[in-house]
């Protein structure tokens, strides 16, 4: 019997790629079919595999949905499920988001989940907290499998070596606290977080508040220019309170170098569920201050502050930043820990797929 074939949606996403063993063994994941309208930098969007016609025409053993169904209506998702049923192909759904961080309102995503969660032959999620919510909302159990590493292992190794050199170096270096506003998602609310961080950093000798943001949000000619945020940042930068960096999207190497240069990254989310950014920070030895919404604190050891759609607890944010400054943070996973974790994650997924396919292949 040949290797099991999985149609992963999408296949070319770092999370999905790191569900496979490092040596390339394990199930075969079909490449993303390139959509006709895709940009060269977005070869998997919109995902062609979500078309019921693709399901009917192509051969695979398991269909595993992760991301990319944002623009699909509940009716289209029901047709996808129906096509999988006609083909006799099991559906695995990893519930990454119980609240979509891109949607200002939760209703559309809830309607999509109301199709996918009950229909899936197996559910996976990343944290026990998310699994409990899934059980409470739909009466279904999800297999909890943690998020794998995001940063390439060799980059992790180099970042750890650089931090050790800096730690042993003479004198006291700057302590960099990062707030990344990138291209604002609906779930991000840096406007309220920013002044609290400015006040907190003012009392920490040698601390620098670095704010990175994309030109589409912070440049007046940007498509999603946020005048209030941009003006506030320029005011703080003018007073020397913020090291403001405005740029376009960073490529992977640029992103890893940026995150590795920080001591702590503050996540300004008011809603969400899980975070790949959080995992990338951990890979690079950067501590994380995460909000109380979602299941970020279940995902990994982080410092937590109160922040959701209803309120921001400024005191807890200041406390979390001071704890990070004092070094009261969990140690980052090393390369061998991440390597062993990836092997366990890959094995868990392979077992799940085999249990669904059985002798029917």
């Amino acid at each position: 019997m040949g290797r099991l074939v999985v149609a992963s949606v999408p296949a070319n996403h770092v999370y999905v790629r790191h569900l496979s063993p490092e040596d390339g063994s394990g199930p075969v994941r079909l490449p993303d079919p390139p959509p006709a309208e895709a940009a060269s930098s977005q070869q998997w969007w919109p995902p062609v595999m979500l078309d019921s016609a693709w399901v009917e025409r192509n051969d695979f053993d398991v269909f595993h949905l992760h991301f990319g169904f944002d623009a699909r209506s509940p009716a289209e998702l029901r047709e996808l499920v129906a096509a999988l049923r006609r083909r006799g192909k099991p559906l695995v759904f990893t519930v990454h988001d119980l609240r979509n961080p891109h949607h200002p309102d939760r209703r559309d995503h809830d309607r999509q989940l109301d199709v996918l969660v009950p229909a899936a032959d197996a559910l996976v999620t990343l944290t026990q907290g998310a699994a409990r919510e899934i059980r409470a909302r739909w009466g279904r159990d999800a297999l909890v499998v943690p998020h794998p590493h995001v940063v390439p292992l060799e980059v992790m190794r180099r970042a750890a070596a650089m931090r050790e050199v800096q730690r042993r170096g003479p004198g006291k270096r700057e302590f960099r606290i990062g707030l990344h506003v990138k291209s604002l998602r609906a779930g991000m609310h840096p406007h309220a977080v920013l002044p609290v961080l400015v006040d907190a950093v003012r009392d920490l000798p040698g601390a620098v508040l670095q704010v990175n943001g994309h030109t589409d949000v912070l440049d007046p000619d940007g498509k999603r220019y946020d005048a209030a945020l941009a003006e506030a940042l320029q005011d703080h930068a003018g007073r020397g309170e913020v090291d403001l960096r405005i740029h376009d999207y960073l490529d992977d190497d640029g992103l890893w170098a940026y995150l590795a240069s920080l001591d702590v990254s503050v996540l300004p989310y008011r809603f969400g569920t899980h975070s790949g950014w959080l995992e990338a920070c951990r890979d690079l030895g950067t501590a994380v201050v995460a909000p109380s919404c979602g299941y970020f604190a279940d995902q990994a050891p982080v410092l937590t502050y109160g922040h959701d759609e209803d309120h921001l607890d400024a005191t807890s944010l200041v406390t979390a930043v001071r704890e990070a400054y004092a070094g009261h943070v969990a140690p980052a996973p090393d390369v061998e820990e991440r390597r062993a974790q990836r092997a366990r994650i890959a094995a868990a997924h392979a077992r799940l797929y085999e249990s669904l396919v059985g002798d029917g292949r």
Side-chain angles (χ1 to χ4, degrees):
M1 183 181 296
R3 293 166 67 186
L4 186 145
V5 177
V6 181
S8 293
V9 183
N12 192 26
H13 186 286
V14 65
Y15 172 92
V16 179
R17 294 198 305 269
H18 291 176
L19 300 183
S20 298
E22 283 185 81
D23 63 4
S25 62
V28 175
R29 295 187 188 273
L30 296 178
D32 297 302
E37 63 269 44
S40 60
S41 61
Q42 294 178 307
Q43 285 300 310
W44 62 267
W45 179 267
V48 174
M49 288 185 189
L50 292 180
D51 295 337
S52 58
W54 185 92
V55 170
E56 297 283 9
R57 290 194 309 266
N58 290 274
D59 194 28
F60 54 90
D61 297 304
V62 176
F63 192 92
H64 191 163
L65 176 57
H66 292 271
F67 310 107
F69 57 89
D70 305 49
R72 297 284 168 157
S73 69
E76 289 171 322
L77 293 175
R78 282 191 288 271
E79 179 51 37
L80 169 69
V81 170
L84 291 168
R85 294 285 179 268
R86 289 191 294 271
R87 294 288 316 276
K89 303 299 184 182
L91 168 62
V92 177
F93 177 38
T94 294
V95 186
H96 291 271
D97 297 315
L98 283 158
R99 174 69 195 277
N100 192 310
H102 301 282
H103 294 180
D105 185 285
R106 70 177 303 142
R107 287 175 292 184
D108 286 346
H109 191 65
D110 283 351
R111 284 192 283 264
Q112 293 167 324
L113 293 180
D114 283 340
V115 173
L116 294 170
V117 173
D121 295 281
L123 296 169
V124 180
T125 195
L126 311 184
T127 59
Q128 294 292 344
R132 286 191 293 271
E133 183 175 334
I134 292 166
R135 191 175 303 114
R137 291 173 63 179
W138 293 282
R140 297 214 53 192
D141 289 330
L143 175 67
V144 177
V145 183
H147 199 300
H149 68 98
V150 171
V151 177
L153 297 176
E154 185 52 40
V155 176
M156 279 184 63
R157 194 185 308 279
R158 291 199 301 269
M162 181 60 68
R163 284 195 186 273
E164 182 62 19
V165 169
Q166 292 170 343
R167 187 183 68 82
R168 294 184 177 186
K172 184 174 177 59
R173 67 184 186 88
E174 291 177 332
F175 185 87
R176 289 210 161 246
I177 300 164
L179 176 66
H180 198 82
V181 302
K182 50 180 180 180
S183 294
L184 290 177
R185 297 176 175 180
M188 296 177 68
H189 192 52
H191 308 67
V193 170
L194 175 62
V196 178
L197 290 178
V198 169
D199 288 342
V201 170
R202 189 179 291 120
D203 297 330
L204 302 177
V208 175
L209 176 58
Q210 178 177 325
V211 179
N212 285 58
H214 291 162
T215 52
D216 66 334
V217 171
L218 299 181
D219 188 292
D221 295 327
K223 292 182 179 179
R224 291 183 284 181
Y225 179 58
D226 187 315
L229 179 61
E231 290 167 9
L233 283 168
Q234 292 292 352
D235 286 345
H236 287 301
R239 292 192 293 269
E241 296 169 332
V242 163
D243 180 358
L244 179 59
R245 315 278 183 96
I246 302 174
H247 50 75
D248 290 322
Y249 289 80
L250 298 171
D251 63 15
D252 283 352
D253 289 341
L255 180 59
W256 309 148
Y258 155 55
L259 291 180
S261 73
L262 302 176
D263 294 282
V264 60
S265 179
V266 178
L267 309 186
Y269 308 148
R270 59 180 178 166
F271 58 80
T273 311
H274 302 114
S275 171
W277 186 275
L278 180 158
E279 297 292 346
C281 287
R282 297 181 67 233
D283 289 340
L284 294 165
T286 303
V288 174
V289 171
S292 55
C293 60
Y295 299 106
F296 307 113
D298 277 15
Q299 188 176 335
V302 296
L303 294 162
T304 303
Y305 72 104
H307 194 194
D308 57 30
E309 290 181 87
D310 298 321
H311 83 295
L312 167 66
D313 181 351
T315 300
S316 67
L317 176 54
V318 172
T319 299
V321 169
R322 287 175 176 168
E323 288 289 297
Y325 180 81
H328 300 157
V329 297
D334 64 26
V335 169
E336 294 312 314
E337 288 173 314
R338 281 302 214 185
R339 174 168 281 134
Q341 182 195 45
R342 177 169 172 175
R344 293 192 299 270
I345 290 169
H349 281 81
R351 287 194 300 269
L352 176 62
Y353 299 150
E354 290 290 353
S355 74
L356 294 171
V357 174
D359 297 329
R361 239 180 340 133

